[in-house]
């Protein structure tokens, strides 16, 4: 595996899940693969779970790890081509990327959407420059449009906690005080479409995700109807994707607090489990009683980030 961005990159999900549970049973089994190999983690944005889980996974596999915070410990980087660099950015990605490639065997990149130019964001401009110019295998630690390590961990968690062979999984929009990217819901939708689940997406009208991620999911605008009989509720805010109105891209066009997941919402489900990628704004996305309930699996979900990343790094090491 030379790159990891979308669900197609991981291959058959049954094999990926089997590998995940094998690694979870023995996290150091493949430590020999990473001996004398170096992972470079590039962060254009803040991180807690991604930083810790990815570094831990790489160390479990015997790798050395270099972490670079672009906005804190390096020259400010220009990402646009054809610009006159007479501002505060001292180095261009076109030089910085191949230099980074000189010092490592594999690169993980985290770069969020700017939420002002949909075409630029959905072209994955920053990530694709790393793939093109680094000369090294590259995996996404969340990009402008996707977060595959999170979605893979979500799938592992659902597989662990499901009580029926084909569970009903609902991705629900919830309100937020800031404009957030669509990366997490995009990837979650993509991975659930590839998995053997009954998948439903619910959100206010106008918040439609890009059709290439929605896939065959059923879109239900009535949140209560969507929740009925659900085995898993995955709550996540996203800003307007600009699908129905490009001018709305990246904006907050609804703050409807009736979408906040509370005890009443969860009573509509089939004793459903509550999921969220974290960090979560309590009182906006979910109420305290729901996220602290016995049906909340947000912590095991976060723990599985180490496992999903271990599978990805292992496969990349095997391809070196």
């Amino acid at each position: 595996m030379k790159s990891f961005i979308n669900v197609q990159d991981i291959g058959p999900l049954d094999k990926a899940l089997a590998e995940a549970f094998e690694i979870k049973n023995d996290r150091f089994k493949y430590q020999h693969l990473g001996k004398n190999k170096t992972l470079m983690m590039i962060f254009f944005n803040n991180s807690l779970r991604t930083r810790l889980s990815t570094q831990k996974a790489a160390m479990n596999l015997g790798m050395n790890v270099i972490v670079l915070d672009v906005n804190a410990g390096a020259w400010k980087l220009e990402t646009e081509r054809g610009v006159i660099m007479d501002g505060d950015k001292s180095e261009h990605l076109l030089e910085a990327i191949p230099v980074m490639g000189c010092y490592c065997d594999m690169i993980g990149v985290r770069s969020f959407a700017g939420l002002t130019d949909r075409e630029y964001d959905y072209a994955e401009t920053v990530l694709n420059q790393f793939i093109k110019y680094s000369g090294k295998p590259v995996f996404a630690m969340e990009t402008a449009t996707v977060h595959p390590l999170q979605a893979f961990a979500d799938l592992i968690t659902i597989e662990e906690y499901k009580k029926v062979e084909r569970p009903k999984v609902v991705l629900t929009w919830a309100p937020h005080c800031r404009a957030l990217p669509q990366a997490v819901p995009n990837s979650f939708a993509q991975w659930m479409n590839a998995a053997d689940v009954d998948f439903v997406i619910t959100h206010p009208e106008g918040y439609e995700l890009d059709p290439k991620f929605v896939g065959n999911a059923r879109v239900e605008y009535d949140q209560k109807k969507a929740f009925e009989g659900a085995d898993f509720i995955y709550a996540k805010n996203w800003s307007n994707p600009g699908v129905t109105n490009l001018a709305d891209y990246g904006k907050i066009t609804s703050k409807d607090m009736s979408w906040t997941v509370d005890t009443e919402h969860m009573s509509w489900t089939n004793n459903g489990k509550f999921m969220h990628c974290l960090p979560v704004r309590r009182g906006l996305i979910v109420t305290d009683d729901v996220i602290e309930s016995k049906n909340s699996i947000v912590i095991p979900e976060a723990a599985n980030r180490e496992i999903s990343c271990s599978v990805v790094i292992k496969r990349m090491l095997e391809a070196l």
Side-chain angles (χ1 to χ4, degrees), residues 145-298:
T145 67
V146 293
H147 197 351
L149 290 173
Q150 179 64 54
F152 187 14
D154 297 334
L155 178 61
I156 294 168
T157 308
I158 289 170
E159 189 69 16
E160 287 182 309
Y161 283 88
K162 71 180 185 181
K163 294 180 180 178
V164 296
E165 189 61 28
R166 192 170 188 268
K168 181 179 179 180
V169 180
V170 178
L171 168 63
T172 180
W173 179 92
H176 203 281
C177 55
R178 296 180 56 218
L180 299 183
Q182 299 100 44
V184 169
N186 281 346
S187 275
F188 187 75
Q190 186 183 55
W191 284 67
M192 290 303 105
N193 273 309
D196 186 19
V197 301
D198 176 13
F199 182 48
V200 180
I201 303 174
T202 185
H203 53 71
E205 291 194 35
Y207 269 81
E208 291 79 9
L209 296 170
D210 191 297
K212 71 179 180 181
F213 296 110
V214 174
N216 295 322
R218 177 162 58 91
V219 177
E220 175 56 66
Y221 296 106
D222 184 329
Q223 192 184 30
K224 183 175 183 179
K225 187 175 180 181
F227 274 47
E228 289 175 353
D231 299 291
F232 295 90
I233 298 296
Y234 195 102
K236 183 68 179 78
N237 173 266
W238 59 90
S239 61
N240 197 301
V243 172
T244 58
N245 184 0
L246 183 59
D248 286 336
Y249 176 65
K251 296 180 180 178
I252 299 173
T253 51
S254 176
K255 292 184 178 180
D256 187 349
M257 293 292 288
S258 70
W259 285 77
T260 301
V261 180
D262 60 16
T263 301
E264 181 183 358
H265 285 73
M266 295 304 293
S267 72
W268 303 333
T269 71
N270 181 29
N271 196 31
K273 302 293 186 183
F274 177 80
M275 302 178 70
H276 188 280
C277 62
L278 303 181
V280 65
R281 298 265 186 157
R282 292 184 178 215
L284 288 176
I285 301 291
V286 60
T287 56
D288 289 346
D289 52 349
V290 170
I291 197 168
E292 294 177 15
S293 74
K294 61 181 178 60
N295 277 9
S296 172
I297 54 174
V298 296

Side-chain angles (χ1 to χ4, degrees), residues 36 78 103 128 134 189 228 257 271 299:
N36 298 327
E78 178 59 65
Y103 306 141
N128 283 325
S134 70
E228 289 175 353
M257 293 292 288
N271 196 31
I299 302 305

